[in-house]
Amino acid sequence: MHIFIHYCVWAREANMDCLGLFILLMVQFFQWTTAPAAEEVTWSYAGLVGQSEWSQYFPDCGGTSQSPVDVVTTLIKYDPSLIPLTPLGYSQHGNKPFTMYNNGHTAVIELPEWMGVGGLPWLFTAVQMHLHWGSGGPSHGGSEHTVNGQSADAELHVVHYNSELYPNMSTAMTQSDGLAVLGILIETGEETNPAFNNILNYLSRIRHADQKVFIPAFDIQSLLPKDLGRYYRYNGSLTTPPCYQSVTWTLFNERVHISKAQLLRMETILYSSKAKDQRRMLLQDNYRATQPTNHRVAFASFSADSGKELSSGEVTAIVIGVMCGCVGLAVVVRFIVKTIRSTSSWDVLPSNQPAPMSRMKEPEKDNEKKQDMALNQTSEAEKKEEPSPSPQAEPN
Ligand SMILES: *[C@@H]1O[C@H](CO)[C@@H](O)[C@H](O)[C@H]1NC(C)=O
Ligand SMILES: *[C@@H]1O[C@H](CO)[C@@H](O)[C@H](O)[C@H]1NC(C)=O
């Protein structure tokens, strides 16, 4: 009200109608209070507030460093300073159960605070992990990141915050160096992946949004690929609203595999609707479309050729090449050894003394008596040897 009076004084001076201004301000105030706060907006992947509408409610979603992206391997830069990531405490899960819940967008598993990741410029502490998937089984999309335009069937994200610079996740998530997310592409294979059953077996307990379950603690590292040294790195964002551009992304090159039955379970068991909702909505296709790179460069911890899998033909060629090389080398070595043996017989001849003589010639310039004496002896030796022109010329 105080401010309003000030406005009135200002309005009178400006020759404006005080009542008119009051009405204007009231209308403005009404609009403020009825406009939904961004946090209350129910966003989704398709529908009323679908992906293309996110940026209207969450401005960062319209930013220039958004995730996910398509990783184009021909545009990747090799960065040898990218060292293997080291999961910290991933396997020391303790006895306390993990909390898993359905937030209407995915299944989230909260991670204990002693878990973290090393190998980044700062120490990052684990917060949670979650999954993205598609619908319709294998080869129908589901991953958020794509490689050369190709989707995987699903994707696991392990979210960490920069605990060296920030006190907690909520502070870190708005900072450009605040978060580190590990992305693991999931493919469908023949075999069941027992590690993923630690999650999938309990999805039936959180079918509806807002439901929560305690699940037995398990080894989180068993969900990751074996090779943590080969990965893609770029600066991006959260892939869900509010899309903060605070994520150092690590997308592993190696993929993990689950069975078709496991994939179908992931795709068909959860609802995005709440238990009390009349209409049940399956939670499917919870992946965001790839975003423009806007001249961002993605880096790789490995060079394109070094890890290329070799065909059996190439392997045969290499084996034959190496064998030929070994045989050739053996022949050369044998020849050299033979040559040395035959020439080394000269070394033992007593007349072969030219090297020490030449070394003794330099001190000759000195005038010290001791050396003079020594030199006299050598020069005598020299004279004795003069008749034989060269040791090599001596017959054996
Ligand atoms: C995070 O840290 C900030 C700053 O210390 C604090 O104000 C905030 O309450 C904390 N948030 C949570 C969720 O702990
Ligand atoms: C990410 O951004 C930071 C700060 O701008 C920069 O130092 C770093 O090199 C970037 N990393 C990548 C992988 O582009």
Side-chain angles (χ1 to χ4, degrees):
M1 213 52 204
H2 218 79
I3 293 163
F4 174 66
I5 290 162
H6 279 288
Y7 267 103
C8 266
V9 171
W10 170 80
R12 244 188 237 139
E13 280 169 4
N15 228 350
M16 276 172 72
D17 184 355
C18 201
L19 186 69
L21 188 67
F22 179 76
I23 290 165
L24 198 87
L25 284 175
M26 283 307 285
V27 167
Q28 192 69 53
F29 180 72
F30 189 70
Q31 280 179 350
W32 281 337
T33 50
T34 52
E39 297 78 52
E40 289 164 25
V41 170
T42 311
W43 58 268
S44 58
Y45 286 90
L48 228 53
V49 185
Q51 299 188 43
S52 43
E53 283 73 44
W54 289 358
S55 61
Q56 291 172 29
Y57 301 87
F58 308 93
D60 291 49
C61 298
T64 55
S65 297
Q66 289 290 291
S67 292
V69 294
D70 178 38
V71 175
V72 182
T73 50
T74 51
L75 301 178
I76 293 287
K77 277 185 79 172
Y78 168 52
D79 181 354
S81 75
L82 295 176
I83 57 173
L85 291 192
T86 41
L88 306 169
Y90 268 49
S91 302
Q92 281 113 53
H93 48 73
N95 297 320
K96 232 181 117 197
F98 295 156
T99 300
M100 179 165 79
Y101 59 90
N102 176 342
N103 67 1
H105 311 295
T106 184
V108 180
I109 295 133
E110 293 176 353
L111 295 173
E113 62 198 10
W114 65 76
M115 268 181 53
V117 68
L120 288 153
W122 295 277
L123 183 68
F124 285 79
T125 295
V127 182
Q128 52 107 318
M129 62 181 180
H130 60 264
L131 291 152
H132 298 269
W133 57 82
S135 60
S139 310
H140 283 82
S143 69
E144 298 216 289
H145 289 92
T146 57
V147 178
N148 298 327
Q150 299 293 305
S151 297
D153 294 329
E155 188 168 334
L156 171 69
H157 289 160
V158 192
V159 183
H160 306 74
Y161 79 93
N162 185 335
S163 50
E164 265 188 76
L165 298 184
Y166 307 108
N168 54 41
M169 173 72 180
S170 38
T171 307
M173 73 193 295
T174 59
Q175 311 297 318
S176 66
D177 50 6
L179 303 182
V181 183
L182 310 185
I184 296 109
L185 295 173
I186 303 171
E187 296 278 15
T188 311
E190 293 298 315
E191 286 165 31
T192 301
N193 185 328
F196 276 82
N197 278 346
N198 288 301
I199 301 168
L200 300 175
N201 283 351
Y202 301 94
L203 289 182
S204 58
R205 309 271 294 273
I206 55 162
R207 294 197 75 174
H208 304 281
D210 295 345
Q211 289 183 332
K212 186 172 107 172
V213 66
F214 293 112
I215 63 172
F218 66 97
D219 178 0
I220 303 296
Q221 192 163 345
S222 64
L223 299 170
L224 305 187
K226 282 183 190 67
D227 182 1
L228 302 179
R230 296 157 63 82
Y231 56 82
Y232 302 110
R233 166 71 46 77
Y234 78 97
N235 285 339
S237 73
L238 298 174
T239 62
T240 58
C243 308
Y244 295 138
Q245 299 187 151
S246 53
V247 181
T248 299
W249 273 98
T250 302
L251 184 69
F252 290 112
N253 176 63
E254 188 188 335
R255 299 167 181 215
V256 300
H257 292 83
I258 62 174
S259 70
K260 188 180 173 189
Q262 286 181 307
L263 182 73
L264 291 177
R265 194 179 180 84
M266 192 190 293
E267 287 183 346
T268 57
I269 219 159
L270 297 186
Y271 296 111
S272 59
S273 50
K274 294 176 184 173
K276 64 174 166 54
D277 290 341
Q278 294 293 315
R279 260 185 80 211
R280 289 187 173 183
M281 305 274 287
L282 270 179
L283 177 41
Q284 291 186 319
D285 296 317
N286 58 351
Y287 59 94
R288 190 187 193 190
T290 54
Q291 303 294 304
T293 56
N294 297 315
H295 308 295
R296 273 178 292 172
V297 179
F299 296 90
S301 66
F302 57 102
S303 63
D305 313 313
S306 67
K308 220 174 65 184
E309 294 210 357
L310 300 170
S311 70
S312 58
E314 285 171 315
V315 171
T316 312
I318 288 171
V319 168
I320 291 172
V322 168
M323 279 167 65
C324 290
C326 285
V327 169
L329 194 67
V331 169
V332 170
V333 166
R334 202 176 135 78
F335 175 76
I336 291 171
V337 167
K338 251 184 145 178
T339 314
I340 289 174
R341 281 224 186 105
S342 55
T343 49
S344 64
S345 54
W346 295 328
D347 294 341
V348 290
L349 286 178
S351 58
N352 185 20
Q353 299 291 337
M357 286 187 327
S358 60
R359 250 186 268 133
M360 296 302 266
K361 270 174 188 167
E362 283 202 353
E364 258 179 6
K365 292 163 192 164
D366 294 334
N367 292 322
E368 280 180 30
K369 285 181 182 176
K370 275 182 190 173
Q371 286 203 346
D372 281 346
M373 284 172 70
L375 278 168
N376 288 339
Q377 286 170 359
T378 4
S379 46
E380 274 178 11
E382 237 175 297
K383 279 169 202 162
K384 277 178 195 168
E385 279 178 9
E386 262 172 8
S388 60
S390 134
Q392 275 85 354
E394 290 238 350
N396 266 349

